[in-house]
Amino acid sequence: MRCDVWWAHPAAETPGLFGLLDEVERGRFAGYRREADKLRFLTGRALIRGVVSAELGVAPGDVVLDSSCFDCGKPHGKPKVVGSTLEVSISHSGEWVALAMTDGAPVGVDVEEVRDAEVDGLAGICFSPPELTTFKAVPDDDRRGAFFTYWARKEAVLKATGKGMWVQMSKLTLAAHDDAPRVLTSEASEVDIDAVRMVDLDRGPGYRACMAVFTDSTPKVEEHEATDLIKSLS
């Protein structure tokens, strides 16, 4: 199973990038209050269209995306490439935007900047009891990094379901943060532990990132830098 992961830094707004957004996406773009969030969103949508266009041999502007939520129908769900078997997942945090793509296999990707957060309180909400036991034994100096490792891994799996945070994180129990990523147990019907393959991704010590794909074979992950691609779309 081939899985491509593309990495980009948030790009400045240009007529070329903004012109790739459809009407709904322009509304979402305008709705962000922080400029950084606008640029991460814009870069993510351009990245999807640029990568998919090269894969399908069509113009970037001809790539149609549907982000309708599976539950409410509003445009905040996992993006789908209309008229294609390609599966995509997008994530952004800090100075990175990530895109994962497969052909036919549900995929999720998440990147998290290791930042100040009340990690003990969040862990109490998002971790399963076995995970909490393991997490509480992590030395204080390592706890933030460990938390975001768990978070990135869990969110990658939830994104692959197509339902995201609608599936409770605490229903999954993952291997310890310093072990190879895998789902040990699942109380969520959307996650079959025998069908989940996970790969950690490295963006440096200040970030944690993971990709998850639902497949019965080990994914062959190829990572790509997207700086030149984004420039070509600008």
Side-chain angles (χ1 to χ4, degrees), residues 8-201:
H9 292 297
E13 181 185 348
T14 65
L17 296 182
F18 187 77
L20 290 174
L21 301 183
D22 62 27
E23 183 177 355
V24 172
E25 290 166 338
R26 291 181 183 186
R28 291 186 65 185
F29 177 86
Y32 286 108
R33 294 183 178 181
R34 297 174 64 241
E35 185 70 10
D37 293 329
K38 288 186 174 186
L39 299 184
R40 283 191 283 258
F41 175 78
L42 175 65
T43 304
R45 294 297 153 146
L47 183 58
I48 295 174
R49 287 187 167 90
V51 170
V52 169
S53 71
E55 186 74 16
L56 298 181
V58 300
D62 291 337
V63 176
V64 179
L65 302 177
D66 179 6
S67 297
S68 299
C69 173
F70 81 98
D71 185 40
C72 68
K74 293 182 179 179
H76 54 228
K78 183 182 181 183
K80 303 176 189 67
V81 182
V82 176
S84 171
T85 58
L86 294 178
E87 294 265 350
V88 297
S89 178
I90 199 80
S91 179
H92 36 73
S93 182
E95 291 301 313
W96 287 110
V97 178
L99 166 68
M101 183 179 72
T102 65
D103 191 350
V107 65
V109 69
D110 192 59
V111 57
E112 296 292 337
E113 183 178 21
V114 178
R115 55 196 183 274
D116 288 334
E118 295 293 336
V119 296
D120 290 329
L122 290 170
I125 298 171
C126 303
F127 289 4
S128 68
E131 288 171 334
L132 275 174
T133 298
T134 302
F135 182 68
K136 288 177 180 178
V138 176
D140 289 346
D141 290 346
D142 299 329
R143 193 163 291 181
R144 273 202 305 156
F147 172 82
F148 284 107
T149 297
Y150 275 111
W151 185 280
R153 290 174 175 181
K154 286 198 171 199
E155 190 157 352
V157 174
L158 298 191
K159 286 183 174 183
T161 70
K163 296 183 177 180
M165 298 294 283
W166 188 87
V167 180
Q168 293 180 27
M169 279 188 172
S170 59
K171 290 189 174 183
L172 304 180
T173 297
L174 304 190
H177 71 284
D178 52 358
D179 287 341
R182 63 191 179 102
V183 182
L184 301 179
T185 65
S186 170
E187 297 177 8
S189 60
E190 295 85 358
V191 179
D192 176 1
I193 64 172
D194 294 325
V196 181
R197 303 291 182 270
M198 303 172 68
V199 177
D200 279 340
L201 306 168

